[in-house]
Amino acid sequence: MNRILQAGKSIAGVTCNSPLRRTGVRYFTNPQCYDGIVLGAYTDGELTLANTSTQHIQSSTRNKILEQLKKSNFKKVGDVRLLYGVGDVDQVAVVSLGNKHEATQDHSSIMETARSAAAIGVQTLKKQKAKNVGVDISIDPHGAAEGAMLAQFTFDKLKQQENEEGEKRDTLFNVGPFGENTSNHNEPLNWETGQIYGMSQNLARMLMTTPANLMTPKTFSEEVAYLLAGMDNIDILVHDKEWAIRQKMNSFLSVAQGSDEPLRFLEIHYKGGNETDPVYGLVGKGITFDSGGISLKPGAGMELMKGDMGGAATVAATMYGISKLKLPVNVVAVTPLAENLPSGRATKPGDVVRAMNGKSIEVINTDAEGRLILADALYYISSKYEPASIIDIATLTGAQVIALGNVFAGVFTNSDKLWKQLHQAGNMTRDEFWRMPLHDAYLKPMKESLVADLVNSASRDGGAAKAAIFLREFLADKNIPWAHLDIASIMNDTELAKGFEIKGMTGRPTRSIIEYLRSHT
């Protein structure tokens, strides 16, 4: 008899019409309530299922699955086989984990294996109209939950809610844990933490993917304030143009003045630690649309510039994640938000503005606007709050895309310790960083203005490094541990990738920043 049940049915005393809610996602406490199961299998030697307990899958069912896999040329990592009516299971997506030795070399490898397999399996069963899917957590529950959450992201709320047959699209789809954790990694990471990491990145994806007419500086602030409202230890301050004028943020103001949309400066405080604990600073670039201003960008691909607030999106999503996790740390985050558009009021090439710290800037290129808004944000957070460290995150330069493609985010930092912490966090999430040079030699061409302390742009060679060294000039204390993350390289994935890496705005590196902050607990 089939023991995988639809919600609302029952068998042998098991009732499935009362799903729990955990971290905003429904899942069932009993595996018999799932109508689809995701399992992993290694491919070296005899195929071996990933240690799923026999109390959840009968041994006869396991044997039938293994028999079918042996006949299906199941070898390549990521291969998936969909099996139906196998013993006591309705439908099973079995995902190849590859060679067991390679997949289990270290904890980060194990997590990535679980992450990828869960994502591929969940996507497969979703296409098969499964409604309640159980994911094997025996390899690593945190990684499995991350993959399952990330794989579900779609942005279709602006489409007509009908399928190809004209019927209303059914959006009910629940994913939960199946089996038991047999790994040796039982520290605080579990299914629930994996869900939060994945949900946080999906939040950043949502903010970045929303069209710019629906995600203005004002809308972004309202959306984030709504999402964070009522969460523990969170305070939100939304500042307007008059506030920025009083703060003498003329560099920030100069970028916003070409648009009819009012600027916002969003400030988020998370107080999870003690009053005497250090405060960690985050700064996110929030250009909700970047046309280049008077230095107008080419038209091809300009629609992607709705994602130029990717730094602000990942910072906001990080604050959401650490609050859901209730991390015992203190964090202050600021995101200057504006549109960069051409108009009769827009800043012109050759104009000079004076930043909050008093430095004058000749605006040679209005398309180098990100560093202008970050200049005031960096001075504000470093002078007012004196954080133990500052990380700014920005889709800053096309040069970074050329340097690293869409694999790594570039890190420019004055602190070897901070680099090590970021590197370890990125390795754990497999959303990784690459260290780039922060050297005084790159500052020289930024000081060649005849009329101001700095120019905001120079020759294209070493462009990402020049932008980074420009930002350093606006730290209230240049000795504070600081890292600039240029995420232009990872803003958008142009190819339909497999599993949890989907086409479109990525929401990276949200999980890595959450992991970095978790490492301080």
Side-chain angles (χ1 to χ4, degrees):
M1 179 179 292
N2 189 338
R3 297 181 62 81
I4 304 296
L5 304 180
Q6 296 286 346
K9 297 183 180 180
S10 63
I11 187 170
V14 177
T15 302
C16 301
N17 60 356
S18 300
L20 295 180
R21 283 192 177 273
R22 301 278 180 89
T23 60
V25 179
R26 295 194 304 170
Y27 66 85
F28 297 104
T29 56
N30 195 302
Q32 295 176 353
C33 299
Y34 296 120
D35 58 359
I37 297 292
V38 178
L39 297 177
Y42 297 111
T43 58
D44 50 322
E46 185 175 347
L47 294 171
T48 305
L49 279 173
N51 297 328
T52 302
S53 172
T54 55
Q55 75 180 67
H56 297 293
I57 293 184
Q58 297 176 6
S59 58
S60 59
T61 301
R62 291 164 58 89
N63 292 335
K64 288 181 180 179
I65 292 173
L66 290 172
E67 288 175 7
Q68 291 198 30
L69 291 179
K70 287 180 181 179
K71 299 175 182 178
S72 68
N73 194 28
F74 184 75
K75 292 292 183 182
K76 185 179 177 182
V77 175
D79 274 356
V80 60
R81 298 292 182 266
L82 192 60
L83 310 177
Y84 300 96
V86 183
D88 54 347
V89 182
D90 239 5
Q91 51 184 343
V92 184
V94 186
V95 183
S96 170
L97 308 178
N99 182 285
K100 185 174 183 179
H101 174 71
E102 295 177 357
T104 57
Q105 287 183 343
D106 53 52
H107 191 192
S108 62
S109 297
I110 293 169
M111 290 181 70
E112 180 71 356
T113 297
R115 193 180 291 126
S116 298
I120 293 169
V122 164
Q123 289 176 338
T124 299
L125 289 171
K126 189 173 183 179
K127 291 177 182 178
Q128 295 300 118
K129 310 294 185 183
K131 302 300 182 187
N132 303 301
V133 172
V135 176
D136 178 14
I137 63 170
S138 63
I139 311 169
D140 185 273
H142 177 92
E146 277 189 319
M149 293 303 299
L150 293 170
Q152 295 180 64
F153 179 79
T154 59
F155 191 92
D156 57 5
K157 63 183 180 181
L158 302 180
K159 297 181 179 181
Q160 286 187 330
Q161 296 300 304
E162 295 180 352
N163 58 24
E164 294 179 356
E165 289 73 34
E167 300 171 340
K168 189 173 181 179
R169 197 158 43 225
D170 188 353
T171 58
L172 178 64
F173 186 74
N174 300 308
V175 177
F178 175 78
E180 59 191 52
N181 180 13
T182 60
S183 72
N184 296 321
H185 306 287
N186 296 313
E187 87 274 73
L189 298 179
N190 52 43
W191 175 267
E192 282 75 18
T193 60
Q195 278 188 308
I196 293 170
Y197 276 54
M199 289 166 62
S200 299
Q201 184 172 337
N202 283 346
L203 170 57
R205 286 169 164 176
M206 182 275 291
L207 293 170
M208 295 173 69
T209 305
T210 302
N213 62 321
L214 304 177
M215 192 56 68
T216 65
K218 179 176 180 289
T219 309
F220 182 99
S221 298
E222 292 172 345
E223 184 79 12
V224 172
Y226 173 78
L227 288 166
L228 298 179
M231 298 184 74
D232 292 341
N233 303 315
I234 285 278
D235 292 323
I236 302 169
L237 302 172
V238 182
H239 304 296
D240 59 11
K241 179 180 178 180
E242 286 67 33
W243 176 89
I245 291 172
R246 292 195 299 272
Q247 301 298 318
K248 299 182 179 180
M249 292 184 171
N250 298 307
S251 186
F252 174 34
L253 287 159
S254 73
V255 175
Q257 67 191 38
S259 174
D260 290 335
E261 291 290 343
L263 65 78
R264 291 291 186 267
F265 191 94
L266 180 62
E267 203 170 325
I268 308 170
H269 295 253
Y270 173 72
K271 301 173 183 177
N274 298 318
E275 290 185 4
T276 56
D277 290 343
V279 175
Y280 300 96
L282 298 177
V283 179
K285 173 188 171 184
I287 298 296
T288 58
F289 188 79
D290 181 20
S291 72
I294 295 297
S295 305
L296 196 67
K297 292 178 180 289
M302 194 192 289
E303 71 279 1
L304 295 177
M305 290 299 98
K306 66 182 181 180
D308 206 24
M309 32 64 77
T314 56
V315 164
T318 294
M319 299 302 280
Y320 171 86
I322 65 174
S323 180
K324 295 287 281 186
L325 291 165
K326 302 184 186 300
L327 294 185
V329 294
N330 298 321
V331 182
V332 59
V334 298
T335 61
L337 298 154
E339 290 184 338
N340 184 28
L341 294 178
S343 75
R345 300 183 306 277
T347 296
K348 305 172 293 296
D351 287 357
V352 175
V353 297
R354 190 172 298 278
M356 185 180 179
N357 71 341
K359 289 184 183 291
S360 57
I361 305 169
E362 183 180 7
V363 182
I364 299 296
N365 182 353
T366 64
D367 194 24
E369 85 299 331
R371 64 201 72 179
L372 295 176
I373 71 171
L374 290 174
D376 283 338
L378 283 168
Y379 183 74
Y380 174 78
I381 195 172
S382 60
S383 61
K384 182 169 184 176
Y385 298 109
E386 299 180 351
S389 67
I390 299 174
I391 298 174
D392 77 73
I393 308 172
T395 52
L396 206 63
T397 66
Q400 191 66 72
V401 183
I402 301 302
L404 296 179
N406 65 354
V407 180
F408 297 95
V411 176
F412 302 80
T413 181
N414 60 3
S415 168
D416 290 341
K417 180 180 178 181
L418 183 53
W419 160 246
K420 183 178 180 180
Q421 292 169 335
L422 285 168
H423 178 63
Q424 289 175 340
N427 184 58
M428 182 64 72
T429 62
R430 291 298 175 91
D431 188 355
E432 298 184 78
F433 304 111
W434 194 268
R435 191 170 189 178
M436 304 290 286
L438 185 73
H439 195 281
D440 286 340
Y442 292 109
L443 186 61
K444 183 179 179 181
M446 312 301 291
K447 289 186 171 181
E448 292 183 351
S449 173
L450 299 177
V451 295
D453 296 316
L454 296 166
V455 295
N456 78 320
S457 183
S459 59
R460 295 180 65 184
D461 53 299
K466 289 172 181 173
I469 204 72
F470 177 92
L471 293 178
R472 192 193 64 178
E473 295 300 293
F474 298 90
L475 294 171
D477 178 358
K478 290 184 182 179
N479 293 316
I480 186 173
W482 161 71
H484 160 58
L485 274 57
D486 193 335
I487 63 169
S489 52
I490 59 171
M491 178 188 82
N492 184 66
D493 194 343
T494 57
E495 298 180 358
L496 185 59
K498 195 173 184 180
F500 61 88
E501 295 177 343
I502 62 174
K503 185 178 181 180
M505 297 296 168
T506 66
R508 297 171 60 189
T510 299
R511 290 182 296 114
S512 293
I513 303 303
I514 294 173
E515 179 64 20
Y516 159 78
L517 291 169
R518 190 184 72 84
S519 71
H520 288 81
T521 62

